[in-house]
Amino acid sequence: MRCFGKYIIGLVSVLLLGAQAMTAQTVRLHMKSGETLEYACADVDSITFVPAEADSPKFQLAVSDIGIASATLSVTPSDDAVRYYYDVCTRQQYDALTGGVEEIVTSYIEYLKGRYPTLTMEQILSNALSQGADSDHLTGLPAGTEFVFYAIAVDNEGKCYGEAATTTFSTLPGGDPADCTFEVDYENLSSDALTVLVTPSDPSVRYWMGIVSVAGFAGDYALTAQVQQEIADYAASTGMDMAELVQKVTFAGDIALEESGLTPETPYYIYVYAMNPDGTAAGALTKKRFVTQSELPSDAAVSLSYRYFDGDALYANNPETYAGYQGKVLVQTRLTPNETAVSWALALAKGDLTDETLYPDEATKNAVLQAGYINAESKTFVADWGTCTFLYFAADADGIDGVLKRLLVTFDKANACPVTEIGVEALPARLASPAALLAAPSRTALGLRLKQAADRQHRHTFRH
C-alpha cells in the first residue's frame, strides 16, 4: 500500500522522529487539517508527500474611460509579489478557447520564445508580465464589441497557475465608416523616406494607408480594387479569414508611420481610405501629394582587395586550427577608405546580387548595414564555392553615402591561394565569419503588412 498526502513543513520530522506518532504496529499521520490517519505498518510500502499547490492569488479588475475604440484597464493583485499577465480578448475569441485564458498566455509566451531565441525565460517574463498594481490605456479596439478582460498568475517557468480573474465590458458603437474623414500629412521628408501622419475623424474605423507613385496611380477605383484583390489572394493562399486579415493589416486611430525605400526626386501620393471587412473601400479615398528630395552621392569610397584559400587544403595542413573548414572557402579581405570616408560597411553575399532592379541600392545598403561589418579594415569570411558578391560602400562626415559597389566573384579551387601564403599578413583563422546573408529585395508596403499579419495570426493579444 502507498500513502499520499499534502506536504506540510516539518511533518516528516514530527511524524517519523516523534515517538508518540508511531507504534511498532501502526503509523499515524497528523494532517494540517487536524485529521489523523492511522495505517498498519505491514500494509504501508512507502509514504509520498506531494507539494501543496501554490495559492491562487486574487485580482481586482476595473475598466474605465470606455470609448468607441478605447478603454483603460486596471489590475490590483492580492499579493504584490505575484507576477501575472493581463489583457483583453473579444467575447468571440474567449468562447472559442478550449484551454481558457491560459491558452492565450501560453501561446503568447511561446511566440516570444520563438521570436527572441537569444533571450532567457526570465528576460521574456520580465518584459511580458506585471507585478503589483498596473494599468494600461488601450486604443484601436473594434467599436461596439464585447471584450473579456482577464488576469492570471504566471510562475517563473512561464506556466499559468491559479484561477484567472475575468470581467466583461463593451466598447461604444462606432459611426458609419463611409462617413469617416482623414487628415493626412507627413514630416521628416528625405530622398527615400518620410513619416506619414494620419488622423481619422472616427477612431473606431479601420482604414488602409499606402504610398503610390504619381506615375503609377491609375485612379481611386483601380487602386482600391488592386489592394482588395491582393489581400484576398493572400488570405486564400494562407487560409486566413478575410475579415480577420483585414483587421490585422489596417489601422485605427492616429498613426505616425515611417515609410522608406522611395526613389529620390519622385512625386508620390499618400492615400488613405476606410476599409470594409471584405477588403473593399468603405468610403472616399483621401490623397496627399509629395515629392522626395534629391540626393547626390558622396565621393566617400573604400577600395577592396581579397584572396581566398581552399578549406580542405587548410584542414589537411592543420586539422586543429581549421577544423570545420572542409568543403568551404576561407576569404581574406582588406579595405582602404579614401580621405572623405569616415565610415564604411562590407558584406559578402552568396550568389549574384549585381542586378539593381532585384536588389535596389537602398534596400541592399540597409541589408549590408544589418548583416555585414562596419569600419573593419580587414575581415575574414567563410564562404561556399561558386559565385558570390562583395557589397561595400562608405559614408562621409555628414552621413551621406557614397556609391554602393558590387563586386561579383567566383571562388574555384584552381585559383585558390597556396596554403603557405596564409602566413603573417592573414587574420587568425578563428576570426573567420560566415558570409553575410542579405535580406531579400524590399517588399511593398502591402506585402510587408501581410507578412506581419501572418506572423501575428495565432495571437489574441491587444496590449502587445
Side-chain angles (χ1 to χ4, degrees), residues 166-188:
T166 62
T167 189
T168 60
F169 70 95
S170 295
T171 49
L172 301 180
D176 187 343
D179 296 332
C180 184
T181 59
F182 300 92
E183 293 182 13
V184 181
D185 207 345
Y186 59 87
E187 60 185 12
N188 304 324

Side-chain angles (χ1 to χ4, degrees), residues 32-354:
K32 186 176 182 180
S33 63
E35 181 184 8
T36 298
L37 304 178
E38 185 172 310
Y39 300 94
C41 290
D43 296 331
V44 177
D45 175 66
S46 64
I47 298 175
T48 301
F49 297 97
V50 180
E53 295 180 359
D55 293 335
S56 179
K58 306 298 182 182
F59 300 96
Q60 291 183 352
L61 307 182
V63 187
S64 59
D65 302 325
I66 300 173
I68 294 175
S70 60
T72 297
L73 313 179
S74 299
V75 185
T76 304
S78 59
D79 183 352
D80 285 348
V82 170
R83 293 199 294 185
Y84 61 94
Y85 183 85
Y86 74 98
D87 202 348
V88 299
C89 63
T90 65
R91 167 61 72 177
Q92 182 181 14
Q93 291 171 338
Y94 183 81
D95 290 342
L97 296 173
T98 58
V101 298
E102 297 94 328
E103 179 183 329
I104 300 176
V105 179
T106 300
S107 174
Y108 181 55
I109 292 175
E110 288 299 317
Y111 163 81
L112 293 177
K113 286 166 59 179
R115 180 69 177 81
Y116 305 102
T118 61
L119 296 183
T120 64
M121 175 60 80
E122 177 56 32
Q123 289 172 319
I124 289 174
L125 296 180
S126 295
N127 284 280
L129 303 183
S130 298
Q131 191 169 0
D134 198 6
S135 64
D136 196 3
H137 182 68
L138 301 189
T139 59
L141 301 176
T145 302
E146 184 180 7
F147 287 91
V148 177
F149 171 23
Y150 61 87
I152 189 168
V154 180
D155 63 22
N156 293 336
E157 296 180 354
K159 307 295 184 183
C160 299
Y161 67 93
E163 294 185 5
T166 62
T167 189
T168 60
F169 70 95
S170 295
T171 49
L172 301 180
D176 187 343
D179 296 332
C180 184
T181 59
F182 300 92
E183 293 182 13
V184 181
D185 207 345
Y186 59 87
E187 60 185 12
N188 304 324
L189 180 65
S190 68
S191 61
D192 68 338
L194 82 166
T195 301
V196 176
L197 308 174
V198 179
T199 304
S201 61
D202 185 340
S204 69
V205 169
R206 306 299 304 186
Y207 63 89
W208 177 268
M209 185 281 295
I211 295 178
V212 62
S213 67
V214 172
F217 179 67
D220 293 6
Y221 177 79
L223 182 59
T224 58
Q226 178 186 356
V227 172
Q228 193 274 338
Q229 187 60 54
E230 290 192 40
I231 295 176
D233 291 344
Y234 190 86
S237 67
T238 59
M240 294 183 68
D241 177 74
M242 185 67 174
E244 180 184 5
L245 182 56
V246 168
Q247 180 79 15
K248 292 179 182 296
V249 301
T250 52
F251 301 96
D254 300 353
I255 62 169
L257 188 66
E258 183 177 346
E259 295 283 358
S260 59
L262 306 177
T263 303
E265 299 183 88
T266 302
Y268 287 93
Y269 286 128
I270 303 168
Y271 65 95
V272 179
Y273 61 95
M275 182 174 280
N276 291 316
D278 64 358
T280 57
L285 192 106
T286 301
K287 299 192 295 292
K288 178 77 172 183
R289 190 180 187 275
F290 68 93
V291 180
T292 49
Q293 298 177 350
S294 62
E295 181 181 66
L296 297 175
S298 169
D299 60 357
V302 61
S303 59
L304 170 72
S305 61
Y306 73 95
R307 62 181 181 178
Y308 62 94
F309 298 85
D310 183 346
D312 292 330
L314 292 173
Y315 177 77
N317 186 61
N318 191 332
E320 180 179 355
T321 300
Y322 298 100
Y325 282 67
Q326 303 96 311
K328 297 292 184 179
V329 186
L330 188 149
V331 185
Q332 295 177 336
T333 64
R334 290 198 179 277
L335 295 103
T336 305
N338 66 7
E339 293 181 355
T340 308
V342 297
S343 63
W344 55 92
L346 166 71
L348 176 62
K350 185 176 181 179
D352 183 350
L353 273 68
T354 59

